[in-house]
Amino acid sequence: MENRNLLHYFFITLKGMAMGAADVVPGVSGGTIAFISGIYEELIDSINNINLSLFKTLKTEGIKSFWKQLNGNFLVALFLGIGISVLSLAKGISWLLLNQPVLLWSFFFGLVVASILFVGKSVEKWNLATIVMLVIGTGMAYYITTLPPAENTDSLPFLFLSGALAICAMILPGISGAFILVLLGSYKVILDAVHEYDLKIVATVGLGAIFGLLSFARLLKWMFKHYKDITLAVLTGFILGSLNKIWPWKKILETKVFGDKIITVSEESVSPFSYEGDHQLMFAIILALVGFSLILLLEKLASKK
């Protein structure tokens, strides 16, 4: 991994904060932020470093070699930022989701539209195969956003699977891990388990998340190594298909109360002129342009680096 100074790690922490802010919003993936901020492949590589050879290095060469092989400074800086963001911004973003949903979704919509162009531009050669995979990725993501939620279940094997699938979604650009949990019917069970300190359920979900993260990261690394353009085309499709979920103007069909949180489980996209309430169209367009411009700024900063 590249040599970095304290300032570099400070910016990685800021990128982690941006990822954390995205993960707080049901429907936006922190993986999208990781990709557009230029740390996605390093994150996947670093996760893949967590294997048996890492602990052999610890035993034979000591903590310094272990930490270097792990790329520990990068991971600590990144997850520190994610943690800070989730703890400090969760209430603020939850308030915006409840009180200013159109403006918040408009900002993220502009951000995600720009990220589609950013990721798509990373494909070195567009051909029939990449176009087909783009269409497949788009269709899969769009279909997921239209699925009805399942009933809640507290089966431990299912919760293990839920943890694995949710963490995979979180590192995939375009798909939200929290949204996957709602679809699977695991969101309330897991939320209640956290509030009630049910260690059996929390540990089961945690083990599923670790299993999913380590196994899925290996698949992604292999895909990037052998089929990079196809992988990027699929990821571009995932982000494109997810736009349905973050369209600012929605007609809410059904909500559920999970503890102190109100989660929309069924909705449909509508025209801003058919929106029930103030469509705030001018401010929505301005915030979408701000989100779009932010990605262009990040791209310029990354190219300078």
Side-chain angles (χ1 to χ4, degrees), residues 14-50:
L14 291 180
K15 292 175 181 180
M17 291 179 67
M19 288 178 64
D23 280 325
V24 169
V25 180
V28 181
S29 169
T32 302
I33 304 299
F35 201 103
I36 60 185
S37 61
I39 59 172
Y40 190 76
E41 288 192 58
E42 183 174 357
L43 175 59
I44 298 302
D45 288 341
S46 298
I47 293 171
N48 274 285
N49 289 337
I50 304 173

Side-chain angles (χ1 to χ4, degrees), residues 5-26:
N5 57 34
L6 192 59
L7 183 61
H8 291 142
Y9 289 114
F10 173 73
F11 282 112
I12 289 171
T13 299
L14 291 180
K15 292 175 181 180
M17 291 179 67
M19 288 178 64
D23 280 325
V24 169
V25 180

Side-chain angles (χ1 to χ4, degrees), residues 120-197:
K121 195 170 68 173
S122 301
V123 177
E124 293 181 1
K125 186 178 180 181
W126 283 99
N127 51 35
L128 181 60
T130 50
I131 292 173
V132 168
M133 297 311 294
L134 170 71
V135 173
I136 291 174
T138 302
M140 287 176 60
Y142 180 83
Y143 177 69
I144 289 172
T145 67
T146 63
L147 289 174
E151 292 298 318
N152 292 318
T153 177
D154 57 1
S155 163
L156 291 182
F158 187 80
L159 290 173
F160 180 91
L161 178 63
S162 297
L165 291 176
I167 200 70
C168 291
M170 288 181 74
I171 62 174
L172 263 182
I175 306 295
S176 162
F179 180 61
I180 293 297
L181 290 178
V182 172
L183 287 182
L184 292 173
S186 307
Y187 189 90
K188 183 179 186 303
V189 175
I190 295 171
L191 195 67
D192 289 345
V194 172
H195 287 162
E196 296 167 9
Y197 302 102

Side-chain angles (χ1 to χ4, degrees), residues 2 8 11 15 33-40 118 121-122 294-305:
E2 60 183 285
H8 291 142
F11 282 112
K15 292 175 181 180
I33 304 299
F35 201 103
I36 60 185
S37 61
I39 59 172
Y40 190 76
F118 181 89
K121 195 170 68 173
S122 301
L294 181 61
I295 301 306
L296 299 183
L297 178 62
L298 283 174
E299 182 181 7
K300 286 186 178 181
L301 292 174
S303 62
K304 285 182 180 179
K305 180 182 175 182

